[in-house]
Amino acid sequence: MSEQFEPKIVAFFCNWCTYTAADLAGISRMKYAPNVRVVRLMCSGRVDPQFILAAFRDGADGVLIGGCHPGDCHYQEGNYKALRRFHLLKPVLEEMNIEDERFRLEWISASEGDKVQKVINEMVEQITKLGPLDLEPISTPETLDEMLEKEQEIAV
Amino acid sequence: MISLKINGKPIQVESGTTILQAAKQLGFEIPTLCYHPQLEPYAACRVCTVEVKNEKGNKLMTSCNSIVEDGMEVQTDSDAVAQARKINLQLLMAQAPAAEIVSEMAANYGVGDTAFLSENAEEKCILCGLCVRACEQVAGTSAIGFANRGKDRVVTTPFDVQNEACITCGSCAFVCPTGAITMDDPFGREVIHDEMTLGPDKAITVPFMQAVPNAPAIDTEACIHFKTDACGLCAEVCEPEAIDYSQKDEIEEVEVGTILLATGFKTFDASRIAKYGYGKLPNVITSLEFEKLSNASGPTGGDILMQDGSVPKSVGIIHCVGSRDDNYNKYCSKVCCMYSLKIAHLMAEKTGAEVYNFYIDMRTPGKGYEEFYERLLEEGMHLIRGRAADVSDWAMNEDEEGKLVIRAEDTLVGAVRRIPVDMVVLAVGLEPQPDAEEIRRKFNISCSSDGWFLERHPKLAPVSTFTDGVFLAGSCQGPKDIPETVAQSGAAVAEALALIDRGYVELEPNTAFIYEEECSGCKTCIPLCPFSAISFVEDKNVSEINEALCKGCGTCVAACPSGAAQQHLFTDEQIFEEIKGVLSYV
């Protein structure tokens, strides 16, 4: 019997909205897939694009960012900064052959425990279908010649 | 000063006073019909006729428009006066046979019938012109006036057509002594007694008896002065000259340390559920309107009356109007079961009516609440378990004729029942204020999915919000009854006071800081900060974070290209390790 693939999802949740919503989902005994590993941050604006890359590097099959609805940020506009970075990072991940479904940004307010449940279940389902993330190992060029060769390859 | 005698009694009055006013000062009653103290006298009805004796001899004069003169001797009740009034009243009776006040006045003088011919037995108008003067002098619109001459004279609008100049102020109906002018009910029903207006019935009122401050306020939407610039009667009669029409709403800025949100709730608009007929069927009222009826200082003096002024013999109370309903609000409004039981009790006590409660579930948790419910059961309330389907005036048999019929499933009996009642009270639920969303954004706090303000934590911080120094008091946080509101508001006040009393503010420890030696002075972080906590130190060529201003969101930290900006408790290093950690287990 082959073991079923269980995706690992790293979630960066804003302390004021999505993290509270996840708490609410817990208090309300809502069941959702246990594949999400939550990292609490004070604001979705704290999410450094490096965190997402690091998560994928360290074995995450998906990354979820949960922030406040537009206009509701506890720090006024941190969620807009998160949105900007999200859109800038998307094409980079595409270049790395990381599918669209693996990286998601959601606005979830503190009262939307059901939305936490829905988003997580949806994401786990989609990523389970995609299978584990297989990142190509990066070969670091050793010599200058190799480096130039690589450059040319990209140029072609 | 003018000296004169009225019925033999000497009096001194200021010049320009009328005989009527002077007589009133001495306490002599002179009957009047076309006189109103706030309007110019017109002497149309002539029942205020008195006998005046001066150097020229005896003379009959109308007292309302005759100015006193020195040495006058006035008789208000002489035989000549009585004779003149009798004739005048007979003439008025002929003009307006249906005017009750005229026949009553005539009866006082022993006149039972008129010797003159009357044209129209239904006529009530005595052509006194009070309405015409009120319209001109009070409403300032002159929407009505006299038309035609002689026996064809009538009070009407120009060309007898609906007049746009009329502001429907009702001044004409208010002053009419005989009731010849009435205001139309918007539903076309006859308004049988004016007291049934459940809202404020005047443009200037004290909101309610116990209002604080206990001062009247003008409803500028309804006040004639604000419509036509006329009237001003309240200012005229107010002796301390307290009325100031120029007062405007003012916005004052106050600096405070803490804020309590106590914006409360609004009741569910019962007309949204068309099948209950609120606003369409007479005698379907909301629980709040019942409170107004039941209030000893209310329009009926505390009597529970129907629109026609009679006492209801049977009453239906429908619970959960707008609550526990997928179409409106899913939540239970918490207070309606108890207040419905209270209404049932008061209704039975005050009117002796049969009271039927239609409920889904009877929710009576709380100190003494279940006991009250038990007591009502013993008092013989009819409690029908089932949501009422509709209220109609459609009768299926004789018993239902002229009644409101409540159709409901009785789930305990397992049958659909039709209950005819005289009056229906809708137990409307509680809803967040319509501008709760706006307020929420203003204070940067959250609302629960129902729209009530969200507390920071249901158990650990039940009166705090996500914004420091903003607390929640009362039902803006969720439906609450009075004891619960008092208790919870007390907690909110205590929290607010504790913050003030401390004299200092505790900051969250998760502020951002900058490693000066790493900072390249690129200034990326500076425009990102919404709190302007980051400044640039020119001589060191580094950014600097003011920890007192920093709220600790970490946006600048995420943007710092060199990793010089860091956040206490959330450094890059810590988060990278955390990511590794959460991914380390299977």
Side-chain angles (χ1 to χ4, degrees):
Chain A
M1 224 173 86
S2 65
E3 206 176 299
Q4 212 211 324
F5 164 59
E6 285 290 346
K8 288 179 185 177
I9 296 169
V10 174
F12 297 99
F13 283 169
C14 158
N15 176 59
W16 305 102
C17 53
T18 318
Y19 195 79
T20 313
D23 202 15
L24 178 67
I27 293 170
S28 322
R29 297 279 189 275
M30 290 178 184
K31 283 192 177 146
Y32 56 85
N35 307 55
V36 166
R37 290 116 203 263
V38 180
V39 176
R40 179 177 76 103
L41 297 171
M42 293 312 285
C43 179
S44 54
R46 175 66 182 95
V47 180
D48 190 326
Q50 291 181 78
F51 297 165
I52 289 125
L53 296 173
F56 281 125
R57 181 194 64 203
D58 293 342
D61 299 300
V63 174
L64 169 65
I65 303 174
C68 301
H69 284 272
D72 284 358
C73 179
H74 186 75
Y75 303 107
Q76 297 181 17
E77 47 197 39
N79 51 352
Y80 298 148
K81 312 277 159 59
L83 182 66
R84 277 195 229 166
R85 289 172 194 150
F86 174 80
H87 285 303
L88 285 171
L89 194 59
K90 263 268 143 124
V92 177
L93 297 181
E94 216 171 285
E95 286 286 310
M96 295 162 77
N97 291 328
I98 296 175
E99 292 91 340
D100 202 42
E101 293 90 333
R102 293 191 191 273
F103 180 41
R104 200 160 156 175
L105 172 65
E106 284 293 339
W107 307 136
I108 303 175
S109 82
S111 60
E112 294 177 316
D114 50 340
K115 193 170 177 187
V116 171
Q117 180 191 37
K118 193 182 130 248
V119 166
I120 289 176
N121 283 343
E122 223 173 73
M123 211 172 159
V124 170
E125 196 189 321
Q126 286 168 350
I127 296 176
T128 311
K129 258 186 219 158
L130 290 173
L133 176 65
D134 189 18
L135 282 177
E136 273 175 45
I138 300 162
S139 51
T140 323
E142 298 264 314
T143 64
L144 190 64
D145 283 345
E146 270 178 31
M147 210 185 276
L148 285 172
E149 212 173 292
K150 197 109 187 170
E151 282 278 286
Q152 269 171 347
E153 251 176 55
I154 293 165
V156 170
Chain B
M1 294 299 261
I2 310 278
S3 302
L4 72 156
K5 274 185 181 170
I6 300 179
N7 293 349
K9 276 193 183 176
I11 185 175
Q12 282 206 324
V13 291
E14 276 176 36
S15 68
T17 311
T18 62
I19 297 173
L20 184 65
Q21 286 165 336
K24 199 161 256 176
Q25 281 184 29
L26 278 174
F28 294 116
E29 276 300 320
I30 298 174
T32 59
L33 282 171
C34 73
Y35 173 77
H36 192 283
Q38 302 302 331
L39 297 170
E40 294 265 317
Y42 189 60
C45 71
R46 312 201 80 79
V47 294
C48 66
T49 300
V50 289
E51 193 179 358
V52 176
K53 187 180 168 191
N54 53 18
E55 60 268 28
K56 291 176 205 157
N58 283 13
K59 198 180 165 192
L60 288 172
M61 290 170 95
T62 46
S63 61
C64 67
N65 66 338
S66 303
I67 307 296
V68 291
E69 283 167 27
D70 238 341
M72 250 185 181
E73 277 180 40
V74 180
Q75 290 293 327
T76 67
D77 247 343
S78 66
D79 289 342
V81 168
Q83 195 55 38
R85 284 189 191 151
K86 273 183 194 172
I87 301 285
N88 280 332
L89 285 163
Q90 283 195 45
L91 283 164
L92 289 171
M93 279 170 85
Q95 158 66 24
E100 279 173 23
I101 186 165
V102 178
S103 340
E104 278 167 23
M105 223 177 240
N108 286 345
Y109 287 90
V111 179
D113 204 2
T114 175
F116 303 98
L117 212 64
S118 33
E119 291 249 315
N120 180 3
E122 300 291 309
E123 187 58 63
K124 278 185 168 180
C125 179
I126 55 166
L127 297 170
C128 70
L130 251 186
C131 51
V132 178
R133 279 175 283 149
C135 192
E136 185 195 338
Q137 293 165 24
V138 176
T141 54
S142 294
I144 49 174
F146 287 112
N148 308 332
R149 280 163 181 268
K151 68 182 182 59
D152 293 331
R153 198 172 205 221
V154 284
V155 171
T156 182
T157 53
F159 306 107
D160 225 3
V161 291
Q162 186 83 39
N163 190 344
E164 277 179 25
C166 172
I167 54 168
T168 62
C169 65
S171 299
C172 49
F174 181 76
V175 295
C176 181
T178 63
I181 301 180
T182 51
M183 296 294 283
D184 261 346
D185 177 80
F187 300 112
R189 286 174 274 128
E190 198 183 342
V191 181
I192 295 182
H193 62 137
D194 293 332
E195 289 84 357
M196 273 305 280
T197 30
L198 287 175
D201 56 357
K202 289 190 168 55
I204 178 164
T205 50
V206 178
F208 51 96
M209 290 281 273
Q210 299 80 9
V212 179
N214 202 271
I218 295 176
D219 177 2
T220 54
E221 301 273 304
C223 174
I224 297 171
H225 180 77
F226 288 87
K227 281 185 179 165
T228 63
D229 216 25
C231 189
L233 285 182
C234 51
E236 222 168 274
V237 296
C238 180
E239 279 175 12
E241 296 177 3
I243 290 169
D244 176 6
Y245 297 111
S246 65
Q247 275 184 345
K248 288 263 181 309
D249 289 345
E250 282 174 35
I251 293 177
E252 278 182 43
E253 278 190 26
V254 184
E255 270 195 27
V256 293
T258 53
I259 295 170
L260 278 182
L261 292 182
T263 53
F265 63 91
K266 80 179 242 304
T267 51
F268 178 81
D269 173 11
S271 62
R272 282 171 65 191
I273 307 183
K275 60 189 182 174
Y276 289 157
Y278 178 73
K280 280 178 286 187
L281 296 172
N283 301 319
V284 177
I285 61 173
T286 66
S287 43
L288 227 53
E289 284 166 345
F290 170 83
E291 289 295 335
K292 188 126 195 176
L293 280 180
S294 164
N295 190 330
S297 64
T300 58
D303 293 333
I304 315 295
L305 300 177
M306 297 196 294
Q307 213 140 30
D308 63 1
S310 64
V311 177
K313 292 191 182 66
S314 52
V315 177
I317 301 174
I318 299 178
H319 291 222
C320 297
V321 176
S323 311
R324 302 186 67 199
D325 188 333
D326 275 357
N327 299 315
Y328 305 100
N329 295 316
K330 286 189 178 182
Y331 55 85
C332 167
S333 291
K334 205 175 185 179
V335 297
C336 334
C337 276
M338 286 315 296
Y339 82 55
S340 297
L341 292 178
K342 183 199 79 175
I343 290 175
H345 178 75
L346 283 177
M347 192 71 94
E349 194 178 71
K350 287 191 168 182
T351 65
E354 289 289 318
V355 183
Y356 300 86
N357 276 268
F358 297 84
Y359 67 98
I360 309 177
D361 292 298
M362 192 56 74
R363 297 191 164 174
T364 60
K367 220 174 182 180
Y369 288 9
E370 182 68 14
E371 290 84 339
F372 183 65
Y373 172 44
E374 290 285 334
R375 182 176 149 197
L376 254 74
L377 287 175
E378 278 165 24
E379 279 177 8
M381 292 299 157
H382 302 278
L383 292 146
I384 297 168
R385 185 173 179 276
R387 186 191 279 282
D390 58 19
V391 178
S392 66
D393 54 1
W394 179 64
M396 270 175 76
N397 53 46
E398 255 176 47
D399 291 344
E400 293 175 2
E401 212 67 60
K403 299 234 177 189
L404 296 164
V405 181
I406 303 175
R407 212 155 52 99
E409 186 188 358
D410 189 330
T411 57
L412 297 181
V413 176
V416 174
R417 296 175 66 177
R418 291 173 62 86
I419 311 249
V421 291
D422 291 329
M423 185 186 243
V424 174
V425 181
L426 302 177
V428 286
L430 273 45
E431 275 187 342
Q433 291 282 14
D435 61 350
E437 181 68 17
E438 210 179 296
I439 301 288
R440 177 186 80 79
R441 281 180 189 265
K442 201 162 270 171
F443 291 96
N444 206 355
I445 61 172
S446 300
C447 279
S448 61
S449 53
D450 301 322
W452 304 102
F453 294 147
L454 193 68
E455 64 284 353
R456 197 181 190 123
H457 191 280
K459 288 174 189 164
L460 302 176
V463 295
S464 311
T465 63
F466 288 121
T467 306
D468 289 336
V470 177
F471 300 97
L472 301 176
S475 51
C476 62
Q477 184 258 341
K480 275 176 198 63
D481 64 5
I482 296 167
E484 204 184 337
T485 300
V486 173
Q488 188 249 16
S489 307
V493 169
E495 288 270 1
L497 281 177
L499 200 61
I500 296 170
D501 197 42
R502 213 183 291 143
Y504 59 86
V505 192
E506 277 176 7
L507 292 178
E508 293 290 325
N510 50 300
T511 50
F513 60 99
I514 285 172
Y515 287 118
E516 279 184 15
E517 58 275 23
E518 306 272 334
C519 180
S520 65
C522 71
K523 300 183 187 173
T524 303
C525 52
I526 293 173
L528 288 177
C529 183
F531 309 103
S532 309
I534 313 176
S535 53
F536 194 70
V537 188
E538 291 288 350
D539 48 341
K540 285 193 202 158
N541 198 37
V542 290
S543 291
E544 191 182 61
I545 294 173
N546 182 338
E547 279 197 45
L549 290 177
C550 175
K551 298 273 188 295
C553 63
T555 303
C556 56
V557 184
C560 181
S562 60
Q566 286 302 329
Q567 186 181 9
H568 289 295
L569 307 183
F570 295 91
T571 64
D572 282 349
E573 209 178 328
Q574 283 171 321
I575 293 169
F576 282 127
E577 284 307 314
E578 207 176 331
I579 293 167
K580 252 188 214 142
V582 296
L583 288 166
S584 62
Y585 59 94
V586 179

